[in-house]
Amino acid sequence: MTTPVFSFASHHCDTLAYPNPYTTSLSILLVLGIFISYIPQHYKIIKCGTSEGLSPWWVLLGGLSSIAAMGNILTLPASREDMMCCREISGGACASALLGVVQIGVQWGCFMFVVMLYLIFFPGTSDHELAASSSSLRSVPPPSRRNAVLVGSTTLFAVLTVGIISTALVFAWPHHTQFWANTLGSIAGVLSAIQYLPQIWYTWRLGDVKSLSYITMFIQVPGAFVFAFSLWNRVGWEGWSTWLMFVVTGCLQGVLLCLAVSYYLARRRLAKEVDDSNDYPRLDDVDGTVEPGAEVNEQTSLLSRQNPRGDHRASYDTTRSKKRASYDTTRSRGRASYESTRSKTLPIGSGGRDTHRSDASKRHLSQLYAATPPEIDSDRSSSSGNDNDTVTTQGQGTRS
């Protein structure tokens, strides 16, 4: 009984001693892709300092699926036979034979790190208030500490349960490991297939991806189909139950990616509209441009018509400087005219009645100057001042 088993093991090891370069290259590509795809997700959670936007059910189902997949690959008799063959074949052939185990191991380790970051950077008090305010428009309940406790405790319980049972079966009842591996594989497939459903629903209700990484999704969507193709290349159409779940996972990831891209484009359009509204000045009723809070008059309209609506910011700044210079010049000229008029209305040696009339005239001119806009031409101010001088002189001649 021992010789046939030994002969079968030797034949299996001889097959692994000469790996297929195409299969090996594809497996290495998948390992690197899985590892690289999770780096942006880890980085974004750490950079944002919060795990807001991650559905607790997505984190929980993904963690349980990776734990079940890891237990499946370690207890599978075929995988253990590959590990035993490493004693007889070269190191390169052994590494090639264990690439399937490495793929699942990298997937498990990367997602366990996501679970850990989700618990470490779970939204606190200030983030809780922010999440409540930002999610109220979509009627999304804010994150609860109970969700974090549920995810952490369930994940820890699953790790301990699968680890203890798998170890006991491998060392005490090795003939029952196939059934246990099949059970874990089925659980992993079902959980992996429905993992993205709660995240799609949560992102749609939230209206934003928050701490989800676009780059991770861009890499993992085609990666899921490549992984399914690699499995199909090994087991064919007869093994549809092995690779079909990865096709379903890739489709659901694609839906989530399309949702995220639509939110990103909508946010970019909104930001562009806000920038455009801030770049150009406000339009007044006379089809001119005016600085917010500035007074609109004929001079402003004439100057602003030199700057159409489609001009750039530089033209607008030039027009503003011209308006300011003209305003200062007109104001100084009006002030000089007022001072000249004031000196003429106060003759030297006039009596008390003349002084009283001069004071009244001065107050009258002050009211006129206060009510007259500073942009009025200085000639009109001068003419009005001359008229007042004439009236004052005539009055004095009549009294004399």
Side-chain angles (χ1 to χ4, degrees), residues 153-281:
S153 59
T154 305
T155 304
L156 180 61
F157 177 77
V159 170
L160 294 177
T161 302
V162 173
I164 293 174
I165 295 178
S166 299
T167 303
L169 289 176
V170 168
F171 289 98
W173 300 281
H175 298 289
H176 299 282
T177 55
Q178 183 66 51
F179 174 78
W180 175 246
N182 293 338
T183 303
L184 292 178
S186 301
I187 295 174
V190 173
L191 295 180
S192 178
I194 65 175
Q195 172 187 356
Y196 284 90
L197 290 177
Q199 183 62 55
I200 293 173
W201 174 252
Y202 187 80
T203 303
W204 179 78
R205 294 185 62 189
L206 192 62
D208 196 358
V209 296
K210 296 295 183 180
S211 57
L212 276 177
S213 174
Y214 293 96
I215 302 178
T216 296
M217 289 185 286
F218 269 114
I219 298 176
Q220 288 187 352
V221 169
F225 293 101
V226 173
F227 191 68
F229 174 75
S230 67
L231 294 177
W232 172 84
N233 191 37
R234 293 183 178 183
V235 299
W237 293 102
E238 293 78 9
W240 60 270
S241 59
T242 303
W243 50 262
L244 181 61
M245 62 178 182
F246 294 100
V247 175
V248 175
T249 302
C251 293
L252 294 178
Q253 285 181 308
V255 173
L256 181 60
L257 178 60
C258 293
L259 197 64
V261 170
S262 65
Y263 291 146
Y264 175 77
L265 295 178
R267 189 164 57 250
R268 286 288 300 271
R269 286 194 298 267
L270 180 61
K272 187 176 184 300
E273 293 176 0
V274 172
D275 292 340
D276 292 342
S277 63
N278 292 333
D279 285 342
Y280 298 104

Side-chain angles (χ1 to χ4, degrees), residues 35 57 106 138 220 231 238 252 265 317 329 374 378:
F35 179 75
W57 289 106
V106 171
R138 286 300 190 99
Q220 288 187 352
L231 294 177
E238 293 78 9
L252 294 178
L265 295 178
D317 294 337
T329 303
S378 61

Side-chain angles (χ1 to χ4, degrees), residues 125-157:
T125 304
S126 59
D127 292 334
H128 177 87
E129 297 174 356
L130 178 61
S133 62
S134 63
S135 61
S136 58
L137 297 177
R138 286 300 190 99
S139 302
V140 179
S144 175
R145 282 289 178 183
R146 183 175 59 184
N147 296 334
V149 173
L150 176 64
V151 171
S153 59
T154 305
T155 304
L156 180 61
F157 177 77

